[in-house]
Amino acid sequence: MADLQTDIRYIKGIGETRAKALAKLNIATLKDLISYFPRGYEDRTLTRPIRELIVGEYACVKAMLASDPTAHRISGGRTLVKARAVDEGGSLELVFFNQEYRKSSLHKGESYIFYGKVEGNLLRRQMVNPLVEREGQQQITGRIMPLYPLTAGVSQLILSRAVRQGLDACRDLLTDVLPDRVRQEHGLCYVNYAYENVHFPASPEALDIARRRLVFEELFLLTCGLHLLRSRRQDVAGPACQSIDMAPFYDALPFALTNAQKRAIDDAIADMCSPRPMNRLCQGDVGSGKTMVAAACVWFAAQNRWQSALMAPTEILARQHYEGLAPLFQRFGLRCALLTGSTRAKERREILTALADGGIDLCIGTHALLTEDVQYAHLGLVITDEQHRFGVNQRSALGQKAEHPHMLVLSATPIPRTLALIIYGDLDVSIINELPPGRQKVDTFAVGEGYRARINAFIRKQVAAGHQVFIVCPLVGDGEEIPDERKAVTAYAGKLQQEVFPDLRISVLHGKMKAKDKEAVMAAFAAGESDILVSTTVIEVGVDVPNANTMIVENADLFGLSQLHQLRGRVGRGSAKSYCILLSDTQNDESKQRLKVMTQTNDGFKISEEDLRLRGPGDFFGQRQHGLPAMKIADLSCDMRLLDEAQSAAKALLAEDPALTAVAHRSLRQRIGELFELNAEALN
Ligand code: ADP
Ligand code: MG
């Protein structure tokens, strides 16, 4: 008797070689096999008499061979086998390229099922390289054929046959991890029906029902699992904090905080006052004022006698934070330090000493904050800015500098909340969905090369009016791999300087420059010492130059929507009317559509939803937090509605049974444990 854990070699036709190939697809047991879901399907059920075949359509035909096949040599050493098949009302020409064996395997007078695309015309219908099977022995025709991701040595047919045997062996052993009530409330089918029909759909409707159940299950398990992880994390104590009147801090600010900022701060303070460490993601569009949320948390932690660390992904950003925050905190007698890779040795030693004896309240820096010799007297709060630039490991490395510090993550990549919960795993999420008042929208245009002269004139006009301009190019100009030299930053800037704007001050910034040089270029640009900054996307993150009002993006189609949105966020920070011009001659419809979205909205959340719809979640999941189970069947670009449903179902269940300890939830809990590779105790 086989069970779910039985080795794949149990299946007839799977020997050592195929087992090895299957191992590459992570299939080792029968359970792996039947949980290996198709990526797509081809509906091969449509069957027509020859006379009714429609040119251009894929169809099955049952017909008898009217003549023995003939073989011909054609150019390039290829062979061509031809045959003619007939049914009661018509005749179909069959053509096989490079399938010489068809000559001896097809016989005059015998009936076959042919499946393929109908070609030719009404008088001469033809199929090229159709699939051929005998009636009664159909395996790849006449059904909705699952299409599995393959590897060398494993064909669709081999997989499909193996799955058939696997299902027959274990169908009755599948446990339904969904509680009955959840299944009923959400109109989901039984587990064995789902597995059967996801691999061997009886009809398109059956496939929908099966898939819906499995996607729901996957997302439901994920949500429940993340919840359990969160509650497990809560079992340690964080740095103790008392609630404090924030008014003195708020009064010191030059502006009133937005309601969304206040909400995020309140969330964070509530976390820090709870007996558990904070682990929160604060998401807000560019310019929504996340820095102030961070600053409020730092101030709050300092009032509670805790030190804070703020880590930024670039030196430029770290310095900007330092310059913005140090004077603010100074007014409260709090000390800030800036620690980056280019901090001089002597100053660095002083900072390290002051950190270790508690003389510094806030240390702002880059990865340099992670170096082993950086020790804190009493680190209570760790903030990382633009989290998507940091690996999870780095984030936790900073966490190691103290027992269980409060953690706040700031991200300017707006992601729909539901998705954020998955991507950021076990973080709680606050969303700043409101911009400070008086922000104006950046006028955005998507145009082609034909506008070049007009754009140059426009740049000149802005500079003449005292403004500054960013020009972003997708490539760096110092290698042979550069496909389009003109667009490469260095070369492009040189050319602009010589041929277009000889009288303007142009500077260059790219990721391959030394940190110090970057710093100098940025500082000069911020100080108004240059009119145009030609740059790669290094300026994407956080840089604040209020006098710059125009952003030009070359080859804009090469950037993701969210990235374009980030770039656009570099302008519109001052009082001047601001513009973003996206240049692209792309003919690709999807790219055009993406650029159009940019011209239609300034709302980062809308843009990320659109990005998700157009490109799928792949890009988001590229940044996926490690340790989360991979999705086997759910596709978040089209299963978002189901995600909402699964999440609310999970929430309802967890409200009743927060640790899933009820007997009825035992198998659910166990499956979650397997999925997250946790043992049962770890979940407790
Ligand atoms: P981001 O969320 O992109 O990090 P920042 O924190 O850099 O945004 O804020 C962008 C700008 O808005 C800064 O110049 C900041 O001083 C200003 N700002 C932040 N909050 C407010 C507010 N409530 N009212 C007005 N200006 C604000
Ligand atoms: Mg910021």
Side-chain angles (χ1 to χ4, degrees):
M1 264 301 282
D3 64 32
L4 289 165
Q5 295 311 326
T6 300
D7 189 281
I8 184 79
R9 293 179 191 81
Y10 165 87
I11 286 182
K12 258 195 299 176
I14 307 282
E16 279 312 312
T17 320
R18 279 189 183 152
K20 258 195 197 134
L22 287 168
K24 284 199 207 115
L25 303 174
N26 290 323
I27 301 176
T29 64
L30 296 191
K31 176 168 170 246
D32 299 335
L33 178 67
I34 63 174
S35 312
Y36 191 72
F37 298 122
R39 266 304 150 67
Y41 297 86
E42 193 170 292
D43 189 344
R44 298 178 185 165
T45 53
L46 180 70
T47 304
R48 291 193 192 274
I50 292 174
R51 209 177 33 191
E52 289 170 24
L53 287 175
I54 295 169
V55 173
E57 188 177 72
Y58 283 84
C60 287
V61 171
K62 187 187 159 206
M64 188 185 78
L65 225 59
S67 62
D68 275 321
T70 56
H72 315 264
R73 290 244 155 250
I74 54 170
S75 65
R78 297 186 300 166
T79 44
L80 181 74
V81 173
K82 280 186 166 182
R84 197 167 62 83
V86 293
D87 65 6
E88 273 154 26
S91 155
L92 176 69
E93 222 173 78
L94 303 163
V95 180
F96 300 92
F97 285 102
N98 276 344
Q99 300 180 25
E100 206 167 346
Y101 65 95
R102 297 284 188 196
K103 183 166 158 32
S104 45
S105 68
L106 295 175
H107 306 286
K108 177 178 168 183
E110 293 190 9
S111 275
Y112 301 90
I113 311 285
F114 301 98
Y115 170 84
K117 186 176 176 187
V118 183
E119 298 183 23
N121 54 46
L122 280 180
L123 298 174
R124 251 186 78 193
R125 292 188 179 84
Q126 195 185 51
M127 277 187 189
V128 178
N129 291 344
L131 301 174
V132 184
E133 290 187 305
R134 284 186 189 268
E135 207 184 0
Q137 299 174 11
Q138 281 174 267
Q139 298 191 67
I140 56 171
T141 66
R143 57 182 273 214
I144 299 176
M145 187 72 192
L147 302 174
Y148 300 95
L150 298 176
T151 184
V154 183
S155 68
Q156 296 293 354
L157 188 58
I158 289 172
L159 252 178
S160 182
R161 277 187 187 148
V163 171
R164 177 72 273 155
Q165 291 182 61
L167 275 176
D168 290 345
C170 329
R171 186 182 4 239
D172 299 328
L173 304 172
L174 292 166
T175 34
D176 202 332
V177 296
L178 289 183
D180 268 344
R181 216 187 61 209
V182 172
R183 198 175 44 69
Q184 282 161 11
E185 266 173 19
H186 295 272
L188 302 166
C189 67
Y190 283 109
V191 65
N192 28 15
Y193 180 94
Y195 274 83
E196 176 66 28
N197 281 283
V198 84
H199 291 293
F200 299 94
S203 66
E205 295 74 31
L207 171 59
D208 277 349
I209 292 169
R211 219 188 143 267
R212 187 178 132 77
R213 139 96 211 198
L214 293 170
V215 170
F216 184 99
E217 176 181 314
E218 182 163 60
L219 299 171
F220 181 81
L221 288 171
L222 189 65
T223 311
C224 289
L226 290 172
H227 172 91
L228 293 186
L229 277 182
R230 257 194 289 270
S231 52
R232 182 174 61 131
R233 180 191 82 217
Q234 290 173 352
D235 280 345
V236 298
C241 293
Q242 303 266 307
S243 102
I244 288 201
D245 181 15
M246 294 295 288
F249 178 74
Y250 293 157
D251 291 345
L253 300 179
F255 40 67
L257 293 176
T258 63
N259 287 329
Q261 281 172 312
K262 281 193 212 133
R263 264 200 311 274
I265 294 169
D266 289 347
D267 286 349
I269 287 180
D271 288 352
M272 289 191 276
C273 291
S274 83
R276 320 286 177 219
M278 164 163 74
N279 211 14
R280 181 167 292 277
L281 171 75
C282 176
Q283 257 200 105
D285 216 339
V286 274
S288 61
K290 293 181 291 295
T291 315
M292 272 310 139
V293 173
C297 292
V298 170
W299 189 83
F300 175 82
Q303 302 310 305
N304 276 284
R305 304 259 151 259
W306 292 109
Q307 292 172 300
S308 301
L310 169 58
M311 185 159 76
T314 63
E315 286 210 36
I316 295 177
L317 259 180
R319 180 171 299 277
Q320 223 168 55
H321 281 321
Y322 177 75
E323 282 162 3
L325 295 179
L328 175 64
F329 287 125
Q330 202 169 26
R331 292 163 58 185
F332 295 99
L334 300 178
R335 271 193 65 199
C336 283
L338 177 67
L339 193 62
T340 69
S342 50
T343 305
R344 295 246 172 75
K346 178 162 169 283
E347 198 188 342
R348 183 181 159 84
R349 273 197 304 274
E350 285 166 12
I351 293 174
L352 293 191
T353 311
L355 276 175
D357 67 20
I360 288 176
D361 301 285
L362 169 62
C363 189
I364 299 176
T366 53
H367 297 84
L369 292 186
L370 297 178
T371 332
E372 230 161 75
D373 57 349
V374 184
Q375 297 296 336
Y376 297 78
H378 38 86
L379 179 62
L381 171 63
V382 171
I383 301 172
T384 52
D385 194 8
E386 308 295 350
Q387 185 262 353
H388 59 290
R389 297 285 163 122
F390 286 115
V392 173
N393 292 340
Q394 287 167 334
R395 204 172 77 211
S396 60
L398 194 46
Q400 316 276 292
K401 301 276 174 198
E403 194 71 354
H404 293 285
H406 296 297
M407 306 272 259
L408 179 68
V409 173
L410 309 178
S411 170
T413 312
I415 302 169
R417 179 191 284 272
T418 42
L419 202 54
L421 287 175
I422 289 182
I423 293 169
Y424 294 106
D426 59 340
L427 300 183
D428 299 309
V429 179
S430 295
I431 288 179
I432 308 187
N433 54 359
E434 182 184 354
L435 293 182
R439 274 305 145 70
Q440 38 166 324
K441 112 178 211 310
V442 177
D443 274 357
T444 305
F445 305 91
V447 296
E449 227 15 74
Y451 280 71
R452 179 67 68 184
R454 269 194 261 178
I455 289 168
N456 288 341
F458 183 77
I459 292 174
R460 193 171 274 291
K461 194 173 123 198
Q462 294 306 322
V463 173
H467 301 304
Q468 289 164 284
V469 178
F470 289 111
I471 300 181
V472 173
C473 308
L475 298 162
V476 180
D478 56 2
E480 288 157 8
E481 75 275 19
I482 304 305
D484 186 354
E485 148 102 12
R486 193 177 62 80
K487 300 282 156 53
V489 179
T490 327
Y492 186 42
K495 198 170 157 159
L496 267 184
Q497 181 80 76
Q498 277 176 8
E499 298 173 15
V500 191
F501 304 119
D503 51 328
L504 303 186
R505 299 164 301 171
I506 299 180
S507 52
V508 175
L509 187 71
H510 59 74
K512 294 196 177 160
M513 288 162 65
K514 287 208 194 90
K516 235 170 126 189
D517 299 338
K518 274 194 254 182
E519 221 43 51
V521 169
M522 245 357 266
F525 187 69
E529 288 161 20
S530 129
D531 304 306
I532 300 176
L533 181 66
V534 180
S535 161
T536 55
T537 52
V538 268
I539 55 135
E540 179 192 333
V541 174
V543 173
D544 201 16
V545 183
N547 190 46
N549 78 329
T550 304
M551 165 65 65
I552 315 259
V553 184
E554 300 277 350
N555 290 350
D557 53 293
L558 297 182
F559 295 93
L561 269 188
S562 298
Q563 209 178 7
L564 288 175
H565 181 64
Q566 294 280 321
L567 287 171
R568 178 167 62 184
R570 296 310 109 216
V571 296
R573 307 193 140 222
S575 51
K577 173 99 206 100
S578 297
Y579 306 90
C580 174
I581 299 173
L582 306 172
L583 268 155
S584 163
D585 270 339
T586 181
Q587 292 309 310
N588 178 299
D589 282 340
E590 192 197 298
S591 301
K592 283 192 203 162
Q593 172 63 27
R594 293 212 330 251
L595 295 179
K596 193 159 156 227
V597 170
M598 289 297 297
T599 65
Q600 289 167 338
T601 178
N602 270 265
D603 179 335
F605 282 93
K606 264 201 202 122
I607 286 173
S608 82
E609 267 163 30
E610 201 57 24
D611 217 7
L612 185 67
R613 197 176 65 74
L614 290 168
R615 293 211 295 184
D619 293 329
F620 291 112
F621 278 87
Q623 306 151 5
R624 191 169 61 99
Q625 183 166 357
H626 292 290
L628 288 184
M631 304 275 190
K632 284 195 154 165
I633 187 164
D635 171 358
L636 290 174
S637 58
C638 42
D639 293 329
M640 285 304 276
R641 293 239 332 250
L642 215 45
L643 175 62
D644 280 344
E645 204 178 323
Q647 285 180 328
S648 54
K651 227 170 119 187
L653 185 75
L654 289 161
E656 262 171 45
D657 182 7
L660 297 181
T661 42
V663 177
H665 303 149
R666 187 179 289 156
S667 56
L668 171 63
R669 190 182 158 79
Q670 190 185 342
R671 175 70 64 80
I672 292 170
E674 290 163 13
L675 212 57
F676 285 80
E677 291 171 12
L678 299 169
N679 55 35
E681 283 98 83
L683 275 178
N684 279 318

